Structures are given as C-alpha cells and as structure tokens.
Coordinates of all heavy atoms in Angstrom, one line a residue:
W1 N 67.2 151.6 88.2 CA 67.4 152.8 89.0 C 66.4 152.7 90.2 O 65.2 152.5 90.0 CB 67.2 154.0 88.2 CG 67.4 155.3 89.0 CD1 66.5 156.1 89.5 CD2 68.7 155.8 89.3 NE1 67.1 157.1 90.2 CE2 68.5 157.0 90.0 CE3 70.0 155.4 89.0 CZ2 69.5 157.8 90.5 CZ3 71.0 156.2 89.5 CH2 70.8 157.4 90.2
S2 N 66.8 153.0 91.4 CA 66.0 152.9 92.6 C 65.8 154.3 93.1 O 66.7 155.1 93.4 CB 66.6 152.1 93.6 OG 65.9 152.2 94.9
I3 N 64.5 154.7 93.2 CA 64.2 156.0 93.7 C 64.5 156.0 95.2 O 65.0 157.0 95.8 CB 62.7 156.4 93.5 CG1 62.5 156.6 92.0 CG2 62.3 157.7 94.2 CD1 61.0 156.8 91.6
K4 N 64.3 154.9 95.9 CA 64.5 154.8 97.3 C 66.0 155.0 97.6 O 66.3 155.7 98.6 CB 64.0 153.5 97.8 CG 64.2 153.2 99.3 CD 63.7 151.9 99.7 CE 63.9 151.6 101.2 NZ 63.4 150.3 101.6
Y5 N 66.9 154.3 96.9 CA 68.3 154.4 97.2 C 69.1 155.4 96.3 O 70.2 155.7 96.6 CB 69.0 153.0 96.9 CG 68.4 152.0 97.8 CD1 67.6 150.9 97.3 CD2 68.6 152.0 99.2 CE1 67.0 150.0 98.1 CE2 68.0 151.0 100.0 CZ 67.3 150.0 99.5 OH 66.7 149.1 100.3
N6 N 68.4 156.0 95.3 CA 69.0 157.0 94.4 C 70.2 156.5 93.8 O 71.2 157.2 93.7 CB 69.2 158.3 95.2 CG 69.4 159.5 94.2 OD1 68.9 159.5 93.1 ND2 70.2 160.5 94.7
K7 N 70.2 155.3 93.3 CA 71.3 154.7 92.6 C 70.8 153.4 91.8 O 69.7 153.0 92.1 CB 72.5 154.3 93.5 CG 72.1 153.3 94.5 CD 73.3 152.9 95.4 CE 73.0 151.8 96.4 NZ 74.1 151.5 97.2
F8 N 71.7 152.9 91.0 CA 71.4 151.6 90.3 C 71.5 150.5 91.3 O 72.4 150.4 92.1 CB 72.3 151.4 89.1 CG 72.0 152.2 87.9 CD1 72.9 153.3 87.6 CD2 70.9 152.0 87.1 CE1 72.6 154.1 86.5 CE2 70.7 152.8 86.0 CZ 71.5 153.8 85.7
V9 N 70.5 149.6 91.3 CA 70.5 148.4 92.2 C 70.5 147.2 91.3 O 69.9 147.2 90.3 CB 69.4 148.5 93.2 CG1 69.5 149.6 94.2 CG2 68.0 148.6 92.5
R10 N 71.1 146.1 91.8 CA 71.1 144.9 91.1 C 69.9 144.0 91.5 O 69.4 144.1 92.6 CB 72.3 144.1 91.4 CG 73.6 144.9 91.0 CD 74.4 144.0 90.1 NE 75.6 144.7 89.8 CZ 75.9 145.2 88.6 NH1 75.0 145.1 87.6 NH2 77.0 145.8 88.3
D11 N 69.3 143.3 90.6 CA 68.3 142.3 90.9 C 68.8 141.2 91.8 O 69.9 140.8 91.6 CB 67.7 141.7 89.6 CG 67.0 142.7 88.8 OD1 66.5 143.7 89.4 OD2 66.9 142.6 87.6
P12 N 68.0 140.8 92.7 CA 68.4 139.7 93.6 C 68.7 138.4 92.7 O 68.0 138.2 91.7 CB 67.3 139.4 94.6 CG 66.1 140.1 94.0 CD 66.6 141.2 93.1
P13 N 69.6 137.5 93.1 CA 69.8 136.3 92.3 C 68.6 135.4 92.2 O 67.9 135.3 93.2 CB 71.0 135.7 93.0 CG 71.0 136.2 94.3 CD 70.4 137.6 94.3
S14 N 68.3 134.9 91.0 CA 67.2 134.0 90.9 C 67.5 132.6 91.4 O 68.7 132.2 91.5 CB 66.8 133.9 89.4 OG 67.8 133.3 88.7
K15 N 66.4 131.9 91.7 CA 66.6 130.6 92.3 C 66.6 129.5 91.2 O 66.7 128.3 91.5 CB 65.5 130.3 93.3 CG 65.6 131.2 94.5 CD 64.5 130.9 95.5 CE 64.7 131.9 96.7 NZ 63.7 131.7 97.7
K16 N 66.6 129.9 89.9 CA 66.7 129.0 88.8 C 68.1 128.5 88.6 O 69.0 129.2 88.9 CB 66.2 129.6 87.5 CG 64.7 129.9 87.5 CD 64.3 130.4 86.2 CE 62.8 130.6 86.1 NZ 62.4 131.1 84.7
T17 N 68.2 127.3 88.0 CA 69.5 126.8 87.7 C 70.0 127.6 86.5 O 69.2 128.1 85.7 CB 69.5 125.3 87.4 OG1 68.7 125.1 86.2 CG2 69.0 124.5 88.5
P18 N 71.3 127.8 86.4 CA 71.9 128.5 85.2 C 71.5 128.0 83.9 O 71.2 128.7 82.9 CB 73.4 128.4 85.4 CG 73.6 128.2 86.9 CD 72.4 127.4 87.3
K19 N 71.4 126.6 83.8 CA 71.0 126.0 82.5 C 69.6 126.4 82.1 O 69.3 126.7 81.0 CB 71.2 124.5 82.5 CG 71.1 123.9 81.2 CD 71.6 122.5 81.2 CE 71.6 122.0 79.8 NZ 72.5 120.9 79.6
S20 N 68.6 126.2 83.1 CA 67.2 126.5 82.8 C 67.0 128.0 82.5 O 66.2 128.4 81.7 CB 66.3 126.1 83.9 OG 66.5 126.8 85.1
Q21 N 67.8 128.9 83.2 CA 67.7 130.3 83.0 C 68.2 130.6 81.6 O 67.6 131.5 80.9 CB 68.5 131.1 84.0 CG 68.4 132.5 84.0 CD 69.1 133.2 85.1 OE1 69.9 132.6 85.8 NE2 68.9 134.5 85.2
Q22 N 69.3 130.0 81.1 CA 69.8 130.2 79.8 C 68.8 129.8 78.7 O 68.6 130.5 77.7 CB 71.1 129.5 79.6 CG 71.8 129.7 78.3 CD 73.1 128.9 78.1 OE1 73.4 128.1 78.9 NE2 73.8 129.2 77.0
N23 N 68.1 128.6 78.9 CA 67.1 128.2 78.0 C 66.0 129.2 77.9 O 65.4 129.4 76.9 CB 66.6 126.8 78.4 CG 67.6 125.7 78.2 OD1 68.6 125.9 77.4 ND2 67.5 124.6 78.8
D24 N 65.5 129.7 79.1 CA 64.4 130.7 79.1 C 64.8 131.9 78.3 O 64.0 132.5 77.6 CB 64.1 131.1 80.5 CG 63.4 129.9 81.3 OD1 63.0 129.0 80.6 OD2 63.3 130.1 82.5
E25 N 66.0 132.4 78.5 CA 66.5 133.6 77.8 C 66.6 133.4 76.3 O 66.2 134.3 75.5 CB 67.8 134.1 78.3 CG 67.8 134.6 79.7 CD 69.2 134.9 80.2 OE1 70.2 134.7 79.5 OE2 69.2 135.4 81.4
E26 N 67.0 132.2 75.8 CA 67.1 131.9 74.4 C 65.7 131.7 73.8 O 65.5 132.1 72.6 CB 67.9 130.6 74.2 CG 69.3 130.7 74.5 CD 70.1 129.4 74.4 OE1 69.4 128.4 74.1 OE2 71.3 129.4 74.6
E27 N 64.7 131.2 74.5 CA 63.4 131.0 74.0 C 62.5 132.3 74.0 O 61.5 132.3 73.4 CB 62.7 129.9 74.7 CG 63.4 128.5 74.4 CD 62.8 127.4 75.3 OE1 61.9 127.6 76.0 OE2 63.4 126.3 75.2
T28 N 62.8 133.2 74.8 CA 62.0 134.4 74.9 C 62.2 135.3 73.7 O 63.3 135.7 73.3 CB 62.4 135.2 76.2 OG1 62.4 134.4 77.3 CG2 61.5 136.4 76.4
P29 N 61.1 135.6 73.0 CA 61.2 136.5 71.8 C 61.5 137.9 72.2 O 61.1 138.4 73.3 CB 59.8 136.4 71.2 CG 58.9 136.1 72.3 CD 59.7 135.2 73.3
M30 N 62.3 138.6 71.4 CA 62.6 140.0 71.6 C 61.9 140.9 70.6 O 62.1 140.8 69.4 CB 64.1 140.2 71.4 CG 65.0 139.6 72.4 SD 66.7 140.0 72.2 CE 66.8 141.7 72.3
P31 N 60.9 141.7 71.1 CA 60.2 142.5 70.2 C 61.1 143.7 69.7 O 61.5 144.5 70.5 CB 59.0 143.0 71.0 CG 59.5 142.9 72.4 CD 60.5 141.8 72.5
L32 N 61.4 143.8 68.4 CA 62.2 144.8 67.9 C 61.4 145.6 66.9 O 60.6 145.1 66.2 CB 63.4 144.2 67.2 CG 64.4 143.5 68.0 CD1 65.5 142.9 67.1 CD2 65.0 144.4 69.0
R33 N 61.7 146.9 66.8 CA 61.1 147.8 65.8 C 62.2 148.6 65.2 O 63.0 149.1 65.8 CB 60.1 148.8 66.5 CG 58.7 148.2 66.7 CD 57.8 149.3 66.9 NE 56.7 149.2 65.9 CZ 55.5 149.6 66.1 NH1 55.3 150.3 67.2 NH2 54.6 149.5 65.3
V34 N 62.1 148.7 63.9 CA 63.1 149.4 63.1 C 62.4 150.7 62.6 O 61.2 150.7 62.1 CB 63.6 148.6 61.9 CG1 64.5 149.4 61.1 CG2 64.2 147.3 62.4
M35 N 63.0 151.8 62.8 CA 62.5 153.1 62.4 C 63.6 154.0 61.8 O 64.7 153.9 62.2 CB 61.7 153.8 63.5 CG 62.6 154.2 64.7 SD 61.6 154.7 66.0 CE 61.4 153.2 66.9
E36 N 63.2 154.9 60.9 CA 64.2 155.8 60.4 C 64.2 157.1 61.2 O 63.1 157.6 61.5 CB 63.8 156.2 58.9 CG 64.7 157.0 58.2 CD 64.3 157.3 56.8 OE1 63.3 156.7 56.3 OE2 65.0 158.1 56.1
I37 N 65.4 157.5 61.7 CA 65.5 158.7 62.6 C 66.4 159.7 61.9 O 67.5 159.3 61.4 CB 66.1 158.2 63.9 CG1 65.1 157.2 64.6 CG2 66.3 159.4 64.8 CD1 65.6 156.7 65.9
A38 N 66.0 161.0 62.0 CA 66.9 162.1 61.6 C 67.5 162.7 62.8 O 66.7 163.2 63.7 CB 66.1 163.1 60.8
F39 N 68.8 162.8 62.9 CA 69.5 163.5 64.0 C 69.9 164.9 63.5 O 70.4 165.0 62.4 CB 70.7 162.7 64.4 CG 70.3 161.4 65.0 CD1 70.4 160.2 64.3 CD2 70.0 161.3 66.4 CE1 70.0 159.0 64.9 CE2 69.7 160.1 66.9 CZ 69.7 158.9 66.2
F40 N 69.7 165.9 64.4 CA 70.1 167.2 64.1 C 71.2 167.7 64.9 O 71.5 167.2 66.0 CB 68.9 168.2 64.3 CG 67.7 167.7 63.5 CD1 66.6 167.1 64.1 CD2 67.7 167.9 62.1 CE1 65.5 166.7 63.3 CE2 66.6 167.4 61.3 CZ 65.5 166.8 62.0
K41 N 71.9 168.8 64.5 CA 73.1 169.3 65.2 C 72.8 169.8 66.6 O 73.7 169.9 67.4 CB 73.8 170.4 64.3 CG 74.4 169.9 63.1 CD 75.0 171.0 62.3 CE 75.7 170.5 61.0 NZ 76.3 171.6 60.3
N42 N 71.6 170.3 66.8 CA 71.3 170.8 68.1 C 70.8 169.7 69.1 O 70.2 170.0 70.1 CB 70.2 171.9 68.0 CG 68.9 171.3 67.5 OD1 68.8 170.2 67.0 ND2 67.8 172.1 67.6
H43 N 71.3 168.5 68.9 CA 71.0 167.3 69.7 C 69.5 167.0 69.9 O 69.1 166.6 70.9 CB 71.7 167.5 71.1 CG 73.1 167.3 71.0 ND1 73.8 166.2 71.5 CD2 74.1 168.2 70.5 CE1 75.1 166.4 71.3 NE2 75.3 167.6 70.7
T44 N 68.8 167.2 68.8 CA 67.4 166.7 68.7 C 67.2 165.7 67.6 O 68.1 165.6 66.8 CB 66.4 167.9 68.5 OG1 66.7 168.5 67.3 CG2 66.5 168.9 69.7
F45 N 66.1 165.0 67.6 CA 65.9 164.0 66.6 C 64.4 163.9 66.3 O 63.5 164.4 67.1 CB 66.4 162.6 66.9 CG 65.7 162.0 68.0 CD1 64.6 161.1 67.8 CD2 66.0 162.1 69.4 CE1 63.9 160.5 68.8 CE2 65.4 161.5 70.4 CZ 64.3 160.7 70.1
T46 N 64.0 163.3 65.2 CA 62.6 163.0 64.9 C 62.6 161.8 64.0 O 63.6 161.5 63.3 CB 61.9 164.2 64.1 OG1 60.6 163.9 63.9 CG2 62.6 164.5 62.8
T47 N 61.5 161.0 64.1 CA 61.4 159.8 63.3 C 60.8 160.2 62.0 O 59.9 161.1 61.9 CB 60.4 158.8 64.0 OG1 59.2 159.4 64.3 CG2 61.0 158.3 65.3
L48 N 61.3 159.6 60.9 CA 60.8 159.8 59.6 C 59.9 158.8 59.1 O 59.0 159.0 58.2 CB 62.0 160.0 58.6 CG 63.0 161.1 59.0 CD1 64.2 161.0 58.1 CD2 62.3 162.4 59.0
G49 N 60.1 157.6 59.5 CA 59.2 156.5 59.1 C 59.4 155.2 59.9 O 60.2 155.2 60.8
G50 N 58.4 154.3 59.7 CA 58.5 153.0 60.5 C 57.5 152.9 61.6 O 57.4 151.9 62.2
L51 N 56.8 154.0 61.9 CA 55.8 154.0 63.0 C 54.4 154.3 62.6 O 53.6 154.6 63.4 CB 56.3 154.9 64.1 CG 57.6 154.6 64.8 CD1 58.0 155.7 65.8 CD2 57.4 153.3 65.6
G52 N 54.2 154.4 61.3 CA 52.9 154.8 60.8 C 52.6 156.2 61.0 O 53.4 157.1 60.6
E53 N 51.4 156.6 61.5 CA 51.0 158.0 61.8 C 51.8 158.6 62.9 O 51.8 159.8 63.1 CB 49.5 158.0 62.0 CG 48.7 157.6 60.8 CD 48.8 158.6 59.6 OE1 48.9 159.8 59.9 OE2 48.8 158.1 58.5
M54 N 52.3 157.8 63.8 CA 52.9 158.3 65.1 C 54.3 158.9 64.8 O 55.1 158.4 64.0 CB 53.1 157.2 66.1 CG 53.6 157.6 67.4 SD 53.6 156.4 68.7 CE 54.4 155.0 67.9
V55 N 54.6 160.0 65.4 CA 55.9 160.7 65.2 C 56.5 160.8 66.6 O 55.9 161.2 67.6 CB 55.7 162.1 64.6 CG1 57.0 162.8 64.5 CG2 55.1 162.0 63.2
L56 N 57.8 160.4 66.7 CA 58.5 160.6 67.9 C 59.6 161.7 67.8 O 60.2 161.7 66.7 CB 59.3 159.3 68.3 CG 58.4 158.1 68.6 CD1 59.3 156.9 68.9 CD2 57.4 158.3 69.7
R57 N 59.7 162.5 68.7 CA 60.7 163.6 68.7 C 61.4 163.6 70.1 O 60.8 163.1 71.1 CB 60.0 164.9 68.5 CG 59.5 165.0 67.1 CD 58.9 166.4 66.8 NE 58.3 166.4 65.5 CZ 57.2 167.0 65.2 NH1 56.5 167.6 66.1 NH2 56.7 167.0 64.0
G58 N 62.5 164.2 70.1 CA 63.2 164.3 71.4 C 64.6 164.8 71.3 O 65.0 165.3 70.3
K59 N 65.3 164.5 72.4 CA 66.7 165.0 72.5 C 67.6 163.7 72.6 O 67.2 162.7 73.0 CB 67.0 165.8 73.8 CG 66.2 167.1 73.8 CD 66.5 167.8 75.1 CE 65.8 169.1 75.2 NZ 66.0 169.8 76.5
W60 N 68.9 163.9 72.1 CA 69.8 162.8 72.2 C 71.2 163.3 72.6 O 71.4 164.5 72.5 CB 69.9 162.0 70.9 CG 70.5 162.9 69.8 CD1 69.8 163.7 68.9 CD2 71.9 163.0 69.4 NE1 70.7 164.3 68.1 CE2 72.0 163.9 68.4 CE3 73.1 162.4 69.9 CZ2 73.2 164.2 67.8 CZ3 74.3 162.8 69.3 CH2 74.3 163.7 68.3
D61 N 72.0 162.4 73.1 CA 73.4 162.8 73.5 C 74.2 161.5 73.7 O 73.7 160.4 73.8 CB 73.4 163.5 74.9 CG 74.6 164.4 75.0 OD1 75.5 164.4 74.1 OD2 74.7 165.1 76.0
V62 N 75.5 161.7 73.6 CA 76.4 160.6 73.8 C 77.0 160.8 75.2 O 77.5 161.9 75.5 CB 77.6 160.6 72.8 CG1 78.6 159.5 73.1 CG2 77.0 160.4 71.4
I63 N 76.8 159.8 76.1 CA 77.2 160.0 77.5 C 78.2 158.9 78.0 O 78.5 158.0 77.2 CB 75.9 160.0 78.4 CG1 75.2 158.6 78.3 CG2 75.0 161.1 78.1 CD1 74.1 158.5 79.3
G64 N 78.5 159.0 79.2 CA 79.4 158.0 79.8 C 80.9 158.6 79.9 O 81.2 159.5 79.2
Q65 N 81.6 158.0 80.8 CA 83.0 158.5 81.0 C 83.8 158.2 79.7 O 84.7 159.0 79.4 CB 83.7 157.8 82.1 CG 83.1 158.2 83.5 CD 83.7 157.5 84.6 OE1 84.5 156.6 84.5 NE2 83.5 158.0 85.8
Q66 N 83.5 157.1 79.0 CA 84.3 156.8 77.7 C 83.5 157.2 76.5 O 83.8 156.8 75.4 CB 84.6 155.4 77.7 CG 85.5 155.0 78.9 CD 85.7 153.5 78.9 OE1 85.1 152.7 78.1 NE2 86.6 153.0 79.8
K67 N 82.4 158.0 76.7 CA 81.5 158.4 75.6 C 81.1 157.1 74.8 O 81.1 157.1 73.5 CB 82.2 159.4 74.7 CG 82.6 160.7 75.4 CD 81.4 161.5 75.8 CE 81.7 162.8 76.3 NZ 80.6 163.5 76.8
D68 N 80.6 156.1 75.5 CA 80.3 154.9 74.8 C 78.8 154.5 75.0 O 78.4 153.4 74.7 CB 81.1 153.7 75.3 CG 81.0 153.5 76.8 OD1 80.4 154.4 77.5 OD2 81.4 152.5 77.3
Q69 N 78.0 155.5 75.5 CA 76.6 155.2 75.7 C 75.7 156.2 75.0 O 76.1 157.4 74.9 CB 76.2 155.2 77.2 CG 77.0 154.2 78.0 CD 76.8 154.4 79.5 OE1 75.8 155.0 79.9 NE2 77.7 153.9 80.3
F70 N 74.6 155.8 74.4 CA 73.7 156.7 73.6 C 72.5 156.9 74.4 O 71.8 155.9 74.8 CB 73.4 156.0 72.3 CG 72.7 156.9 71.3 CD1 73.4 158.0 70.8 CD2 71.4 156.6 71.0 CE1 72.7 158.8 69.9 CE2 70.8 157.4 70.1 CZ 71.4 158.5 69.5
W71 N 72.1 158.1 74.7 CA 71.0 158.5 75.5 C 69.9 159.2 74.7 O 70.3 160.0 73.9 CB 71.4 159.4 76.7 CG 70.3 160.0 77.4 CD1 69.6 159.5 78.5 CD2 69.8 161.3 77.2 NE1 68.7 160.4 78.9 CE2 68.8 161.5 78.2 CE3 70.1 162.4 76.4 CZ2 68.0 162.7 78.3 CZ3 69.4 163.5 76.4 CH2 68.4 163.7 77.4
M72 N 68.7 158.8 74.8 CA 67.6 159.4 74.0 C 66.4 159.7 75.0 O 66.0 158.9 75.7 CB 67.1 158.5 72.9 CG 68.1 158.3 71.8 SD 67.6 157.2 70.6 CE 66.6 158.2 69.6
Q73 N 65.9 161.0 74.9 CA 64.7 161.3 75.6 C 63.6 161.5 74.6 O 63.8 162.3 73.7 CB 64.9 162.6 76.5 CG 63.7 163.0 77.3 CD 64.0 164.2 78.1 OE1 65.0 164.8 78.0 NE2 63.0 164.6 78.9
V74 N 62.5 160.8 74.7 CA 61.5 160.7 73.6 C 60.2 161.4 74.0 O 59.7 161.2 75.2 CB 61.3 159.3 73.3 CG1 60.3 159.1 72.2 CG2 62.6 158.6 72.9
W75 N 59.6 162.1 73.1 CA 58.3 162.6 73.2 C 57.5 162.1 72.1 O 58.0 161.9 71.0 CB 58.2 164.1 73.2 CG 58.9 164.8 74.3 CD1 58.4 164.9 75.6 CD2 60.2 165.4 74.3 NE1 59.3 165.6 76.4 CE2 60.4 165.9 75.6 CE3 61.1 165.6 73.3 CZ2 61.6 166.5 75.9 CZ3 62.3 166.2 73.7 CH2 62.5 166.7 75.0
R76 N 56.2 161.8 72.3 CA 55.3 161.2 71.3 C 54.4 162.3 70.8 O 53.7 163.0 71.5 CB 54.5 160.1 71.8 CG 53.7 159.4 70.8 CD 53.0 158.2 71.5 NE 52.0 157.7 70.6 CZ 51.2 156.7 71.0 NH1 51.3 156.1 72.2 NH2 50.2 156.3 70.2
F77 N 54.3 162.5 69.4 CA 53.5 163.5 68.8 C 52.5 162.8 67.9 O 52.8 161.7 67.4 CB 54.3 164.5 68.0 CG 55.1 165.5 68.9 CD1 56.3 165.1 69.4 CD2 54.5 166.7 69.2 CE1 57.0 166.0 70.2 CE2 55.2 167.6 70.0 CZ 56.5 167.2 70.5
G78 N 51.5 163.5 67.5 CA 50.6 163.1 66.5 C 49.4 162.2 67.0 O 48.9 161.3 66.2
F79 N 49.0 162.3 68.2 CA 47.9 161.6 68.7 C 47.1 162.4 69.7 O 47.6 163.4 70.3 CB 48.3 160.3 69.4 CG 49.0 160.5 70.7 CD1 48.2 160.3 71.9 CD2 50.3 160.9 70.8 CE1 48.8 160.5 73.1 CE2 50.9 161.2 72.0 CZ 50.1 160.9 73.2
G80 N 45.8 162.2 69.8 CA 45.0 162.8 70.8 C 44.4 164.2 70.4 O 43.5 164.7 71.1
R81 N 44.8 164.7 69.3 CA 44.3 166.0 68.8 C 44.0 165.9 67.4 O 44.7 165.2 66.6 CB 45.3 167.1 69.1 CG 45.6 167.4 70.5 CD 46.5 168.5 70.7 NE 46.9 168.7 72.1 CZ 47.7 169.5 72.5 NH1 48.4 170.3 71.7 NH2 48.0 169.6 73.8
S82 N 43.0 166.6 66.9 CA 42.7 166.6 65.5 C 42.5 168.0 65.0 O 42.6 169.0 65.6 CB 41.4 165.8 65.2 OG 40.4 166.2 66.1

C-alpha cells in the first residue's frame, strides 16, 4: 500500500533471472508461529496459547468482493505494566 498514491502498487521487476529468483525463494526460510485463537460473535478475538505470557487481542472480519479474505487488526496486551 502506498501512502503517496493511496492505492496498492506493484514492486518494480527485479533484475535477477527467473531461475535464480526461484532458487532464492525456495531456500529462504519462512518463520511461522502457531497459536490458539478464540473468535467471538462480536467480531473480536483473543489468543489462548502459543505466545507465552503475551496476549494478542483485536478485531476480525471476512472481507473482499467474494468474501474470500480474512482481515485481523491486532493489539498486544500483557507487557510494560506490572
């Protein structure tokens, strides 16, 4: 998303060859985290486990013209105060 253009913008094409770019993508590790999330009827959620002491809360919704995209707005709780 570009603030300057107020729309989604595409990255300029890279100067790498397609084969070397494919090799780079295959070798790059993807950091994944699994967590247990509880979804509520009022379109809010909270994490139940998987993040240790940290708790994430926020809002969720199903968006898109075909309702095929999942949107989550996240707030972090449980740090900085005792």
